[in-house]
Amino acid sequence: MSLLLEVAVTRVDDVAGAVEGGADRLSFDVDGRSPDVPTAAAVLRASDVPVRVLLRLDDSYTTTGGELARLVGLGEEYLGLGAEGVSFGFLDADLEIDVDTTSALARALPGVPWTFHRAVDATLDPVRAWRRLVRLPELTAVASGGSPQGLEQGYDDLLALAGADPDVARLLLPAGGLTAEQVPWLARAGVTQFHLGPQARPGGSAKAFVDAGLVRSWRLLLDRAAELPGRRTS
């Protein structure tokens, strides 16, 4: 079973490097929020691989009824332009997964695959959060670094969660400072999809475009990890 490589893009000039380097999927946002429709249209036209577009209007992990309706409308526009899926996620005032609101948005976009973004890393009880996540409709990925500080702090706990629960491994999209050394261990635990952000840009700079050579090096790494003996595949 091959491993999926997702690369974050923030503008149309990032797309070529990601696709040429071997990305299987792109995640798209602008400064952590939903892009405007013309920008989304340009990125979607430029991509030959699936793109998931972020549905988020501000820096919080909550939303109002009016904002939710706007997010539904944005999602429909992105999908109409060719997006393969979307990314979103909500927490409640107790920093628990807001199952009702998140499920409402998923149901409003029926049949659409989606990613729960790194809001999961802000929850107070990751084990309880994952129990709620695995039941959400059409969810195919959960972007997580295991900690608000990312994989540098959360890797060990996240690896343990994936190793102990095939449902976590199936959905987990390691994100937030993934290193090459972490990939084989996560793959052996059954993780099948991986996310690149700054790692795909020269110097890790947000000002630099995604580089095909950097993406290709990760593509080769994932291809090697897919062949590791003893890797859990289900």
Side-chain angles (χ1 to χ4, degrees), residues 7 23 66 91 117 222:
V7 177
L91 305 182
H117 59 55
L222 264 61

Side-chain angles (χ1 to χ4, degrees), residues 32-234:
R33 301 182 186 185
S34 295
D36 61 61
V37 172
T39 302
V43 166
L44 292 164
R45 282 196 304 268
S47 177
D48 295 328
V49 300
V51 181
R52 293 196 180 180
V53 187
L54 180 65
L55 297 179
R56 191 182 186 199
L57 298 178
D58 55 39
D59 292 333
S60 76
Y61 294 133
T62 60
T63 191
T64 64
E67 288 175 343
L68 187 63
R70 185 179 170 196
L71 290 173
V72 172
L74 272 175
E76 291 172 341
E77 288 197 76
Y78 297 150
L79 294 164
L81 291 168
E84 174 261 355
V86 290
S87 174
F88 59 88
F90 304 104
L91 305 182
D92 62 23
D94 297 319
L95 296 182
E96 301 276 6
I97 303 296
D98 188 339
V99 173
D100 291 342
T101 303
T102 305
S103 296
L105 183 49
R107 287 194 298 268
L109 301 171
V112 176
W114 61 282
T115 299
F116 193 101
H117 59 55
R118 285 194 56 199
V120 65
D121 291 338
T123 59
L124 298 180
D125 187 333
V127 174
R128 184 163 61 231
W130 275 97
R131 282 201 298 266
R132 295 179 176 184
L133 287 169
V134 298
R135 300 195 300 266
L136 294 174
E138 310 297 342
L139 179 66
T140 64
V142 177
S144 175
S147 161
Q149 289 75 42
L151 285 159
E152 183 177 5
Q153 297 293 325
Y155 165 72
D156 289 335
D157 290 340
L158 204 56
L159 179 64
L161 275 173
D165 190 335
D167 284 332
V168 173
R170 171 178 57 86
L171 291 172
L172 177 59
L173 175 66
L178 180 70
T179 67
E181 293 77 12
Q182 292 165 350
V183 168
W185 297 99
L186 289 162
R188 284 194 180 98
V191 176
T192 61
Q193 47 190 339
F194 296 82
H195 175 88
L196 296 184
Q199 306 97 314
R201 301 174 187 272
S205 172
K207 296 180 180 179
F209 299 144
V210 170
D211 180 80
L214 291 174
V215 175
R216 191 172 297 112
S217 68
W218 284 87
R219 173 75 274 160
L220 294 172
L221 173 64
L222 264 61
D223 290 346
R224 289 194 296 270
E227 302 301 325
L228 287 171
R231 185 169 73 87
R232 190 171 73 189
T233 58
S234 63

